[in-house]
Amino acid sequence: MKRKPLIIANWKMNHGVEDSIKFMAGFTKKKLPENVDVVICPPFTSLYTMGITLSEIKAVALGAQNCHAEASGAFTGEISANFLEEIECKYVLIGHSERRHIFNETDEFLQKKLIHVLHTSLIAVLCVGETESERDSGKTFDIIRKQLNVLTMEHTDELSRLVIAYEPVWAIGTGKTATPAQAQEVHHFIRKWVQEKFGLARAQELRLLYGGSAKPDNTRELMSQEDIDGLLVGGASLKADSFCDIIHCSV
Ligand code: PGA
């Protein structure tokens, strides 16, 4: 079964407002294929401005890189999913490996975030992935299973607003992409896990993204894998040309 490709740019802590505007000036001139969903996740300070530009071009949606687990309150420095909805944000990343490893976000905390986000109108992009030492010691599937366990039966009705991104930590920002076969193996495992838990129909409609040094050169091969429906792109999404090439190569 073919799912519509989804390509998400994760700018991380790059491109302030001025650079975001410059990026959009180049990007909006490009012709994009129609049969692909495209999302850009800029830093929080660029979201509002980017939202205004993106609302004019429609073909591209706005995403945030993170949000908090509560709707409001005394959480200095945090952003609520409801604030993201208010500025027409459609997607939010949850549990990116940098949140897990640098900011110590645990599966328990990420589960709270996920529950909160799935009760809004946002689409949650749950990121999972093993470190190099976990892969070397044969623990990849145990780690992925543990990270997926934040999804419970309570989420069954909201699964149409969930995307899962497999991002092996050893491939993020290292230039070391997982081989298409390595990525497919884990994607297949994730889809099977979802099928066992939530049924075949849910598993078949779920979009699974690969992330970790995705670039124009490896997009076609990764996207040709049966269970890879899109990409979460860091470094190669910072320039309009290379991000646009990735989008074109994904269809
Ligand atoms: P990368 O980052 O494409 O620079 O490896 C991907 C990500 O962290 O989402």
Side-chain angles (χ1 to χ4, degrees):
M1 185 189 151
K2 257 298 173 221
R3 290 156 289 266
K4 192 175 181 190
L6 170 62
I7 306 295
I8 304 184
N10 173 16
W11 285 357
K12 311 190 179 187
M13 202 172 73
N14 296 294
H15 287 350
V17 175
E18 203 181 320
D19 288 337
S20 301
I21 292 171
K22 272 193 208 147
F23 175 97
M24 288 312 286
F27 190 68
T28 48
K29 288 198 195 98
K30 312 241 177 227
K31 193 159 166 33
L32 298 179
E34 274 171 20
N35 46 346
V36 51
D37 287 331
V38 179
V39 180
I40 300 180
C41 304
F44 283 128
T45 52
S46 298
L47 277 175
Y48 184 69
T49 318
M50 293 276 293
I52 293 171
T53 317
L54 292 179
S55 67
E56 284 157 16
I57 60 169
K58 301 270 188 277
V60 180
L62 190 63
Q65 299 171 19
N66 185 28
C67 70
H68 192 58
E70 304 282 338
S72 64
F75 303 101
T76 302
E78 292 296 319
I79 299 285
S80 154
N82 301 118
F83 303 163
L84 298 175
E85 283 183 297
E86 205 181 7
I87 56 163
E88 304 293 332
C89 214
K90 297 275 183 291
Y91 290 75
V92 61
L93 308 184
I94 296 192
H96 185 278
S97 78
E98 285 145 24
R99 300 299 318 170
R100 292 175 187 269
H101 297 286
I102 304 174
F103 301 102
N104 302 320
E105 293 192 1
T106 61
D107 285 318
E108 292 67 35
F109 181 54
L110 293 172
Q111 184 172 50
K112 283 192 196 142
K113 273 196 203 195
L114 191 68
I115 291 171
H116 178 55
V117 167
L118 289 176
H119 284 116
T120 68
S121 61
L122 295 169
I123 296 175
V125 182
L126 175 68
C127 304
V128 298
E130 81 289 1
T131 62
E132 189 152 38
S133 63
E134 287 162 349
R135 173 163 281 264
D136 291 347
S137 52
K139 292 200 199 115
T140 299
F141 297 114
D142 293 341
I143 296 295
I144 303 294
R145 193 181 297 109
K146 180 171 170 292
Q147 293 172 340
L148 289 174
N149 273 335
V150 301
L151 287 165
T152 64
M153 292 315 283
E154 174 181 347
H155 298 115
T156 310
D157 293 341
E158 288 95 23
L159 279 190
S160 58
R161 284 190 299 96
L162 177 79
V163 170
I164 298 177
Y166 167 57
E167 297 202 299
V169 180
W170 47 272
I172 296 179
T174 58
K176 230 197 235 179
T177 322
T179 64
Q182 279 173 325
Q184 166 59 24
E185 187 185 27
V186 180
H187 279 235
H188 181 70
F189 172 84
I190 296 172
R191 203 176 298 286
K192 255 190 90 202
W193 184 93
V194 172
Q195 180 179 335
E196 277 158 21
K197 188 135 184 171
F198 300 103
L200 183 64
R202 304 270 183 198
Q204 280 184 339
E205 68 191 17
L206 179 71
R207 288 194 284 188
L208 300 181
L209 313 186
Y210 167 79
S213 300
K215 37 190 183 271
D217 290 357
N218 54 30
T219 295
R220 273 188 218 289
E221 228 191 329
L222 286 163
M223 290 297 294
S224 70
Q225 302 300 308
E226 191 176 337
D227 289 297
I228 301 184
D229 309 309
L231 300 170
L232 180 52
V233 189
S237 72
L238 291 172
K239 294 221 164 72
D241 283 348
S242 65
F243 188 48
C244 198
D245 286 349
I246 288 178
I247 297 166
H248 278 282
C249 292
S250 73
V251 290

